[in-house]
């Protein structure tokens, strides 16, 4: 769960500290934070293609192919990171101009990316390492590394945002720099772990292979629909924040608060989703297709139950449970967000089940079909949001209800596909 939500942990830490800096900074990190999550999701999506292939090779007991698959993923992720870095450094000024009306939000968003963009190299190669150990079902150290990532980010956020411990007070740019340094440290720790991992030799991780373009193309073909799915999904969320920003900085701040709570409460589902992806692919590699649907259903039930256990107390008592994070004299933002928190229960119900089925379907190799249904769902989602914000006075709760509509449309198509057995003939 923690490994899959590493970027969520970083985004949460940045948001909490900037909440205490100013409402403008908090609103800005809501906008630019979602943008960076889209960037991170692109790298994560490509790693999922490699993860599915690694899990399949492990299920087939072809351990020597694991290393080749891993390095093909690393080579591609490194090249992709360079492209994303150049875009964030030189293209976002013009890109943000298409969405942002507030000059304050615009300038603070660019300040954040000026330091945050350097972390994309370590983020992209890091998710390749996470994909390796998740695909091999050896996830214990991912927990340790993610805790280190979060701890370093929290400490540096405290120092670099406010200027404590003799560090410069950089504001929102300090949050970006803190997150980048935390990713560098987490990546270095992972390298040390791999060096001392005795099983790594069986996977040929210490033998740097030549660039295998055929294998990279195979991963690219498998992963591209997953990346497009992430881009469509989180990209739609980014557009949602852009639409809400037009309502004013106060509404954007409320939406960012709800997003922050959503990120916390969605962590269990991210973990279960990554796990079911690996399990489905591994069982198919063992020629046990009859186990796929029961695995997905059981995982969905676990995901929903775990999510509700942590979500209901937060939604029902937000002032009491969020005060340790957001405590201050002015708690009006939490009061203003209370109606949206009630909607969040329905969102999390749909998300915790729908995401498991979606990732289970991806584990079968049906990534292109996943792209089609997610694109259709996103079109419905954005059409609904645009109509509610621009043509009604229903407010933020009804705008956020679009998330429920999105997952209902998704789940209807996924259920039909999995029961149709079309995925039985797919090869990875």
């Amino acid at each position: 769960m923690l490994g899959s939500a590493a970027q969520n942990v970083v985004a949460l830490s940045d948001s909490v500290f900037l909440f205490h800096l100013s409402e403008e900074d908090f609103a800005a990190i809501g906008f630019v934070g979602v943008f960076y999550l889209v960037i991170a999701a692109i790298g994560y999506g490509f790693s999922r293609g490699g993860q599915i292939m690694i899990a399949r090779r492990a299920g087939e007991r072809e351990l020597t192919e694991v290393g080749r698959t891993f390095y093909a993923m690393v080579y591609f992720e490194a090249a992709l990171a360079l492209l994303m870095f150049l875009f964030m450094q030189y293209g976002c000024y013009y890109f943000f101009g298409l969405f942002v009306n507030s000059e304050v939000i615009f300038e603070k968003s660019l300040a954040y990316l000026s330091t945050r963009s350097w972390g994309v190299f370590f983020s992209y190669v890091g998710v390749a390492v996470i994909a390796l150990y998740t695909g091999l079902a050896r996830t214990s150290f991912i927990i340790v590394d993610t805790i280190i990532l979060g701890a370093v980010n929290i400490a540096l956020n405290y120092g670099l945002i406010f200027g404590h411990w003799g560090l410069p007070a950089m504001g929102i740019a300090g949050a970006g720099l803190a997150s980048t340094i935390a990713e560098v440290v987490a990546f270095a720790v992972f390298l040390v772990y791999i060096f001392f991992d005795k099983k790594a030799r069986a996977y040929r991780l210490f033998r740097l292979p030549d660039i295998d373009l055929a294998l990279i193309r195979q991963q690219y073909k498998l992963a591209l629909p997953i990346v497009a799915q992430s881009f469509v999904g989180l990209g739609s969320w980014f557009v949602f924040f852009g639409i809400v920003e037009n309502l004013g900085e106060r509404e954007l701040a409320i939406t960012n608060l709800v997003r922050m709570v959503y990120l916390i409460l969605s962590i269990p589902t991210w973990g279960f989703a990554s796990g079911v992806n690996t399990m489905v692919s591994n069982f198919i590699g063992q020629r046990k297709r009859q186990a796929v649907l029961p695995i997905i259903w059981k995982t969905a039930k676990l995901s929903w139950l775990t999510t509700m256990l942590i979500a209901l107390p937060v939604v029902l008592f937000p002032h009491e449970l969020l005060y340790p994070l957001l405590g201050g004299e002015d708690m009006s933002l939490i009061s203003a967000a209370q109606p949206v928190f009630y909607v969040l229960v329905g969102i999390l119900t749909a998300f915790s089940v729908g995401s498991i089925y979606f990732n289970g379907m991806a584990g079968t190799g049906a990534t292109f079909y996943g792209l089609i249904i997610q694109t259709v769902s996103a079109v419905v989602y954005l059409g609904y949001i645009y109509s509610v914000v621009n043509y009604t006075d229903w407010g933020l709760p009804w705008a956020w209800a679009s998330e429920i509509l999105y997952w209902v449309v998704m789940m209807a198509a996924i259920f039909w596909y999995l029961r149709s057995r079309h995925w039985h003939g797919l090869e990875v």
Side-chain angles (χ1 to χ4, degrees), residues 98-102 239-249 251-252 386 389-390:
L98 300 174
F99 295 93
V100 181
N101 292 329
S102 169
V239 174
F240 171 55
F241 268 72
I243 294 173
V244 171
E245 189 268 341
N246 294 330
L247 297 176
E249 293 174 5
E251 286 75 12
L252 185 59
Y386 185 82
V389 173
N390 290 283

Side-chain angles (χ1 to χ4, degrees), residues 132-207:
L132 168 68
Y133 281 96
T134 304
L136 295 171
R138 297 178 57 207
T139 58
S140 58
F141 190 76
I142 295 175
I143 299 174
V144 176
D145 200 62
T146 306
I147 292 174
I148 293 172
L149 171 72
V152 173
N153 190 43
I154 290 171
L156 290 178
N157 267 334
Y158 180 74
L160 290 170
I161 292 176
F162 302 105
H164 296 300
W165 303 330
L167 296 173
M170 299 173 62
I172 194 170
L177 181 58
S179 299
T180 293
I181 295 174
E183 288 185 330
V184 173
V185 172
F187 179 72
V189 171
F190 243 133
L191 290 182
V192 173
Y193 176 77
I194 293 174
F195 182 79
F196 288 102
D197 182 8
K198 295 180 180 178
K199 295 182 179 180
R201 300 189 184 281
Y203 311 132
R204 295 190 178 181
L205 296 185
F206 300 119
R207 181 178 300 176

Side-chain angles (χ1 to χ4, degrees), residues 222-264:
L222 178 63
L224 184 60
I226 300 177
V227 175
Q229 292 158 18
S230 299
F231 186 79
V232 168
L234 283 172
S236 300
W237 211 13
F238 175 71
V239 174
F240 171 55
F241 268 72
I243 294 173
V244 171
E245 189 268 341
N246 294 330
L247 297 176
E249 293 174 5
R250 177 70 172 181
E251 286 75 12
L252 185 59
I254 293 171
T255 293
N256 187 35
L257 174 62
V258 178
R259 178 192 72 101
M260 190 178 71
V261 175
Y262 191 6
L263 288 177
I264 298 172

Side-chain angles (χ1 to χ4, degrees), residues 76-115:
F76 183 81
E77 292 278 5
L80 185 62
L82 178 60
L83 291 177
M84 292 299 166
F85 172 77
L86 294 175
F87 173 69
M88 285 187 283
Q89 285 286 320
Y90 302 107
C92 279
Y93 178 88
Y94 306 99
F95 182 68
F96 285 174
L98 300 174
F99 295 93
V100 181
N101 292 329
S102 169
E103 188 67 26
V104 173
I105 301 299
F106 181 78
E107 292 179 356
K108 288 183 178 295
S109 296
L110 292 178
Y112 179 80
L113 282 185
S114 67
T115 53

